[in-house]
Amino acid sequence: MEIRNPRKWIFNMDYKILSFLGIFIFLSVSTELFSQGLTLVGDAKLSLKGEGVIFSAPSILLKDNSQLSNPENITLTKSDFIRITSKDAKIITRLLSKGEISKIAVGIDGKTSLTIKNTGSNTTFIVGMEVLSDSDALPYVWKVEAAQKSGSESVNLGFSWEKVDEPLSFFPKALANRTGSQWHFLKEQTLSGEMASLEDFDQFESFASYFTVKSSMVDTDGDGVPDILEIQQGSDYDDLLDYLDTDGDGVPDYVEMIQNSNALDPWSYLDSNGDGIADYIRDRSVVVLLFASELQVPWGYQEIDQFLTDTISGMLGSGIIADLAVNWDKSNLDSYKRGIYQIKSEINFPRGVLNIYELAANIAVEVLPKPAPIDVTLDNDTFDGGSVEPIIRVGKLEVLDPLDDIHEITLLNDGYDNGFFEIKDDVLYWSSDQRAEGKTTFTVIVRVTDRDGNMLDKLIEIKRNRKPLDEIWVPNTFTPNGDGLNDFWEVPDLRVYQGARIQIFDGGGIRVFYTENPDIGWDGIKDGKDMPIGAYYWTIEIRELGEIRRGVLNLLRK
């Protein structure tokens, strides 16, 4: 019998009315009425409502846009499933409360079963089927849609099918869900034989969700185990370190199976080169680090970071090149000192990339020698002698060095005239209480040492200025009374001359003082007695010059 009228055929018996009439709460539409089976075509809709309603027919076929509601109330006498031949035909469950179950036997050419257990908000579900032509999948898909969408729909789904519907090569297999044109395998599923179940599915969009069972060797995480097997084994196919490894040898059981090793023996694995490392682990381990292990830089070079990249490359045993993040430790590098420095690194291996061979990325950085300073100069090479002060500034030393401005400047030992001088803060000083009488030219040897240990030695000539004898200031008065002021008559400028003779005479021509040491002054005493006040006559002779100078001094006492 075909139903073409687009109006709904509704079989609806109310429990209360039946009780009042004294009729059993059971309604049977006899097979005598539908002896040839029931076919819904066009927009025909058959709805079976009411408790205790049982619709009995030899078979039911849905075509076109037809709909069958409440399939739970149907008894088929000559078929064991509701047949759907149109992708637009629909079966609509009764309203399912949370925890209620609807079981539907439905198929296209053969029987499949779909079990829906509502785990979310109350709703009805729309079921359909569609032919699928993929060679690695069942020849059909199940379509499941929540009729009322509030955002809290969730179901447990159970699928079963006939073995004969499977392709000839159908291992491994798993339940798959289609989003757009892409199929992906659902993680929270259980597969056994020709049955698959899925818990708490809640990805209900504005359209139906498509399900089928597919066979695939896709390995999303690259751990060598197909996604489908990981689903069956309870591991995560998005995590390449999560796989079933019964013996704990690091090699997945599936890989051991195809390599003919024992997945129950931790010492049984494929080791092609005999290095004691499983091929599986070696293929995922870095065997060669690709980076420049030696580097030469000029002395004082500060841009070394441009050679120390944030990543280096590593070749795995499989031949794959992996990018490895790296941090360099430059704490022991001194670019201002020649030598070879080891720059160590910390490599951050990505998850799944192993370092079973404990490789390290170290760079030997050679800081090349620095050229020595070119020259050292003294900005002033003369100083005035004759002062009794032991410290006299001569001039500042300056180093000519295009590569550095930090140097140590010293006097090289005590050679030449170094003993008369000292260097402080790169300034050269006369630093001696010796008179060095008669000497006007001094030579010092200066050593410059740079931060790289280069040394430059240079002889520097220094002139000491002396006043001519006739320009030397000679006091004409002194007061030797012991008050600490002007108690001595002396001529300090004579101390730098060699062969000085100083004599003082009284008015009668008697010599009262004589010395050849200019540092010794006359205190107004002769033979232990104070000389009287008055005028005295002095003579100064410089034998190295062959000059004599004479004058008068006054001795006063207060």
Side-chain angles (χ1 to χ4, degrees):
M1 175 181 180
E2 285 193 0
I3 298 178
R4 294 181 177 274
N5 193 323
R7 294 179 301 170
K8 287 185 178 179
W9 284 55
I10 301 176
F11 297 82
N12 186 0
M13 302 298 293
D14 187 274
Y15 173 81
K16 293 182 179 179
I17 295 177
L18 288 176
S19 297
F20 179 77
L21 296 176
I23 302 175
F24 291 110
I25 309 172
F26 177 85
L27 176 66
S28 175
V29 180
S30 171
T31 57
E32 294 178 0
L33 179 60
F34 302 110
S35 60
Q36 296 180 357
L38 178 64
T39 300
L40 301 183
V41 297
D43 294 326
K45 298 178 176 63
L46 176 61
S47 178
L48 306 172
K49 295 184 178 179
E51 282 192 43
V53 173
I54 300 296
F55 182 84
S56 178
S59 63
I60 295 180
L61 171 61
L62 302 183
K63 294 182 176 182
D64 306 325
N65 295 315
S66 60
Q67 294 182 11
L68 173 64
S69 299
N70 298 75
E72 301 87 353
N73 296 340
I74 293 177
T75 298
L76 300 178
T77 59
K78 293 186 178 180
S79 176
D80 56 358
F81 67 97
I82 299 171
R83 187 179 178 195
I84 295 180
T85 61
S86 169
K87 66 182 181 63
D88 296 317
K90 300 175 181 177
I91 298 174
I92 303 175
T93 70
R94 71 181 188 278
L95 180 67
L96 297 180
S97 301
K98 185 173 184 179
E100 286 192 299
I101 298 175
S102 176
K103 296 183 178 179
I104 304 171
V106 62
I108 296 178
D109 293 322
K111 178 183 178 182
T112 76
S113 294
L114 174 62
T115 301
I116 301 174
K117 179 180 179 180
N118 188 17
T119 59
S121 59
N122 297 349
T123 188
T124 58
F125 294 90
I126 302 171
V127 176
M129 292 193 73
E130 187 175 318
V131 174
L132 182 65
S133 58
D134 290 2
S135 61
D136 59 354
L138 293 176
Y140 43 75
V141 296
W142 293 277
K143 299 186 291 185
V144 181
E145 181 180 359
Q148 296 85 27
K149 297 180 178 64
S150 64
S152 57
E153 291 75 34
S154 175
V155 293
N156 292 346
L157 297 173
F159 304 88
S160 65
W161 58 95
E162 300 292 334
K163 181 70 175 177
V164 69
D165 290 339
E166 296 183 355
L168 293 178
S169 177
F170 206 53
F171 177 84
K173 62 186 178 182
L175 185 67
N177 175 235
R178 189 172 71 192
T179 302
S181 61
Q182 300 296 319
W183 289 98
H184 64 277
F185 295 100
L186 299 157
K187 294 183 178 181
E188 303 300 325
Q189 65 171 279
T190 302
L191 186 70
S192 176
E194 288 74 53
M195 296 182 63
S197 60
L198 180 66
E199 293 188 359
D200 296 325
F201 179 81
D202 59 1
Q203 304 301 310
F204 290 103
E205 306 291 344
S206 59
F207 44 82
S209 295
Y210 288 75
F211 301 91
T212 192
V213 178
K214 290 176 65 68
S215 175
S216 173
M217 298 300 290
V218 169
D219 179 12
T220 300
D221 55 15
D223 62 0
V225 184
D227 293 357
I228 292 177
L229 287 182
E230 294 215 57
I231 291 171
Q232 296 173 2
Q233 294 169 353
S235 56
D236 186 350
Y237 62 66
D238 284 321
D239 185 349
L240 75 173
L241 293 182
D242 185 11
Y243 46 75
L244 181 63
D245 177 18
T246 303
D247 57 12
D249 60 1
V251 183
D253 288 4
Y254 173 76
V255 174
E256 295 213 55
M257 177 189 72
I258 61 178
Q259 292 179 345
N260 295 318
S261 59
N262 187 352
L264 301 179
D265 182 356
W267 300 106
S268 173
Y269 44 73
L270 181 62
D271 179 12
S272 300
N273 64 1
D275 65 353
I277 305 298
D279 287 4
Y280 177 86
I281 295 176
R282 183 171 57 254
D283 286 347
R284 286 155 178 78
S285 296
V286 176
V287 294
V288 177
L289 291 173
L290 306 175
F291 69 103
S293 60
E294 296 181 353
L295 179 65
Q296 285 185 336
V297 296
W299 183 93
Y301 189 72
Q302 296 298 304
E303 304 299 326
I304 194 170
D305 284 347
Q306 67 177 310
F307 300 108
L308 304 178
T309 57
D310 294 335
T311 60
I312 61 174
S313 297
M315 186 174 71
L316 308 186
S318 62
I320 294 174
I321 303 299
D323 290 332
L324 310 173
V326 61
N327 297 314
W328 301 99
D329 180 5
K330 302 175 294 180
S331 60
N332 69 331
L333 174 64
D334 184 356
S335 60
Y336 294 107
K337 187 175 182 180
R338 73 181 73 185
I340 298 176
Y341 301 86
Q342 292 295 326
I343 306 299
K344 297 183 179 180
S345 69
E346 178 183 353
I347 302 175
N348 298 315
F349 292 90
R351 185 169 176 81
V353 175
L354 309 178
N355 188 25
I356 195 68
Y357 297 102
E358 299 181 351
L359 301 182
N362 298 329
I363 298 180
V365 178
E366 181 181 5
V367 178
L368 297 175
K370 171 189 172 293
I374 297 173
D375 195 10
V376 57
T377 60
L378 185 64
D379 66 354
N380 177 64
D381 61 358
T382 64
F383 69 99
D384 293 331
S387 172
V388 295
E389 295 294 331
I391 306 296
I392 303 173
R393 188 182 192 277
V394 179
K396 184 173 179 61
L397 292 158
E398 296 180 349
V399 179
L400 178 58
D401 186 345
L403 295 181
D404 198 13
D405 58 0
I406 299 177
H407 307 84
E408 181 185 19
I409 307 176
T410 60
L411 292 168
L412 182 58
N413 303 322
D414 292 327
Y416 294 86
D417 296 317
N418 286 4
F420 296 111
F421 297 87
E422 68 174 342
I423 296 174
K424 290 184 178 179
D425 299 327
D426 299 343
V427 175
L428 180 66
Y429 294 90
W430 170 273
S431 178
S432 177
D433 56 5
Q434 298 183 49
R435 299 196 308 270
E437 60 270 21
K439 193 174 181 66
T440 58
T441 300
F442 299 86
T443 301
V444 296
I445 182 166
V446 174
R447 169 164 287 180
V448 177
T449 306
D450 65 17
R451 285 189 281 178
D452 194 36
N454 294 302
M455 291 179 288
L456 169 68
D457 296 339
K458 183 177 181 181
L459 293 172
I460 297 178
E461 189 174 271
I462 303 158
K463 300 290 186 180
R464 179 167 67 175
N465 296 325
R466 299 186 301 183
K467 293 179 181 180
L469 181 57
D470 59 356
E471 294 181 8
I472 292 176
W473 179 75
V474 179
N476 59 12
T477 303
F478 79 116
T479 57
N481 54 11
D483 63 358
L485 298 174
N486 202 23
D487 285 337
F488 293 89
W489 182 87
E490 54 192 352
V491 185
D493 286 335
L494 297 176
R495 65 195 312 271
V496 296
Y497 285 98
Q498 186 176 30
R501 288 178 178 175
I502 304 171
Q503 301 181 77
I504 300 176
F505 302 89
D506 63 12
I510 299 174
R511 189 170 69 181
V512 297
F513 177 75
Y514 175 84
T515 185
E516 294 183 6
N517 183 354
D519 288 339
I520 298 176
W522 184 41
D523 59 1
I525 298 174
K526 178 178 172 24
D527 297 333
K529 295 180 180 181
D530 291 336
M531 297 301 291
I533 62 175
Y536 293 82
Y537 304 92
W538 55 263
T539 63
I540 297 175
E541 180 185 1
I542 304 298
R543 283 174 287 179
E544 70 167 290
L545 300 178
E547 296 180 7
I548 297 176
R549 180 179 170 185
R550 297 176 175 84
V552 178
L553 70 88
N554 295 304
L555 187 156
L556 303 177
R557 298 185 190 277
K558 295 182 181 179

